[in-house]
């Protein structure tokens, strides 16, 4: 339910509405706009049948939210959500590029990649310290040591960092080191993790699950918003299909669909979608043309020696060339980059 308050409503009247909502066992989320304040009400809406909120003095109208995802929907918030991550704006149509190695390996290597991606125009550094690996015998990431290397690279380059969380118990570490916490495809429906991350005030990037529909994807994002954290970025990273020529199939149509259904920024990770270096650039360009708010791209200085995902990493020189091409695509589409 969306409760639209009257223009110029007093604080006391807003408080009265909030008290009534809570009394019914529902959760209010106040969304303060430039002209109007609206309250998104979530929970078991059967309680609303007994006491209609529209009857309260401060309320202009109370409208049902028809989509199953409430706080994530454009019905609830028509304007694009724009996050500010250390001065980098994400959302609202500007193209933001996050780049870096799949996993943090050594401090020197991370720093050299960070400097290269920054030089090419990336504005956020990626790197995994906790890696979700299919095999328990594969490299699992450096843990806190890796986070410390990321912090060092951030200090030297000024790039904010994004890194993956796999266990809710690691959230205090993330608060210390990360600017954006990534929830990977394999954990998209780890609901305890979603709620835990949602209870902190820290930007989150949620990746689409390997076999998740867009509806399931948006409902997972709803868990984070429902727990109180509105700073969410969605990431399309390819889904599993019958095709074997690529690692996954990049669902480019998810971009305009999500832009229509949700106010949250949607970015694209072409690297994990295609799984092969030579296919990354065409999909990155197509994503920008299709309206993505940004890209996440894996870059490595020595792909053949990478601990993980070397076969899809771009060399810094390839990344630099791609960034030039992307700027031209963005310009042709009247977008800022
Ligand atoms: C990653 O970005 O490091 C990653 C593991 O991606 P995904 O969760 O999309 O597979
Ligand atoms: Mn990877």
């Amino acid at each position: 339910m969306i409760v639209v308050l009257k223009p110029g409503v007093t604080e006391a009247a807003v408080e009265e509405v909030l008290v009534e909502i809570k009394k019914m066992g529902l959760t209010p989320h106040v969304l303060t706009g430039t002209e109007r304040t609206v309250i998104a009400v979530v929970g078991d809406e059967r309680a609303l049948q007994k006491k209609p909120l529209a009857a309260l003095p401060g309320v202009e109208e109370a409208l049902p939210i028809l989509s199953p995802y409430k706080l994530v929907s454009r019905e609830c918030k028509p304007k694009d959500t724009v996050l500010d991550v250390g001065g980098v704006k994400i959302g609202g149509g500007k193209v933001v590029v996050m780049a870096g190695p799949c996993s943090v390996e050594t401090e020197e290597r991370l720093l050299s990649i960070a400097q290269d991606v920054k030089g090419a125009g990336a504005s956020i550094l990626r790197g995994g310290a906790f890696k979700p690996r299919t095999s328990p015998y594969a490299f699992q990431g450096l843990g806190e040591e890796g986070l410390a290397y990321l912090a060092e690279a951030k200090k030297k380059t000024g790039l904010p960092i994004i890194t993956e969380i796999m266990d809710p118990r690691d959230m205090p570490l993330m608060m210390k080191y990360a600017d954006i916490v990534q929830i990977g495809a394999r954990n998209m429906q780890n609901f305890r993790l979603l709620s835990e991350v949602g209870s902190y005030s820290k930007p989150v990037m949620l990746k689409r699950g390997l076999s998740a529909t867009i509806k399931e994807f948006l409902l997972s994002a709803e868990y984070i918003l429902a727990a109180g954290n509105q700073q969410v970025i969605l990431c399309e990273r390819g889904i599993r299909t019958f095709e074997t020529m690529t690692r996954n199939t990049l669902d480019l149509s998810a971009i305009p669909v999500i832009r229509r259904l949700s106010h949250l920024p949607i970015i694209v990770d072409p690297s994990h979608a295609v799984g092969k270096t030579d296919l990354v650039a065409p999909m990155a360009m197509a994503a920008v043309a299709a309206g993505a708010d940004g890209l996440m791209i894996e870059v490595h200085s020595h792909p053949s020696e990478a601990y993980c995902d070397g076969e899809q990493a771009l060399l810094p020189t390839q990344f630099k060339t791609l960034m030039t091409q992307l700027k031209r695509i963005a310009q042709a589409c009247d977008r800022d980059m």
Side-chain angles (χ1 to χ4, degrees), residues 102 126 131-132 164 182 184-186 207 237 269 272 296 298:
C102 179
R126 69 146 284 146
K131 295 302 302 173
E164 179 163 355
Q182 173 174 324
R186 287 153 194 83
K207 296 185 103 179
R237 46 77 72 206
D269 170 351
H272 290 90
M296 169 176 264
E298 285 189 347

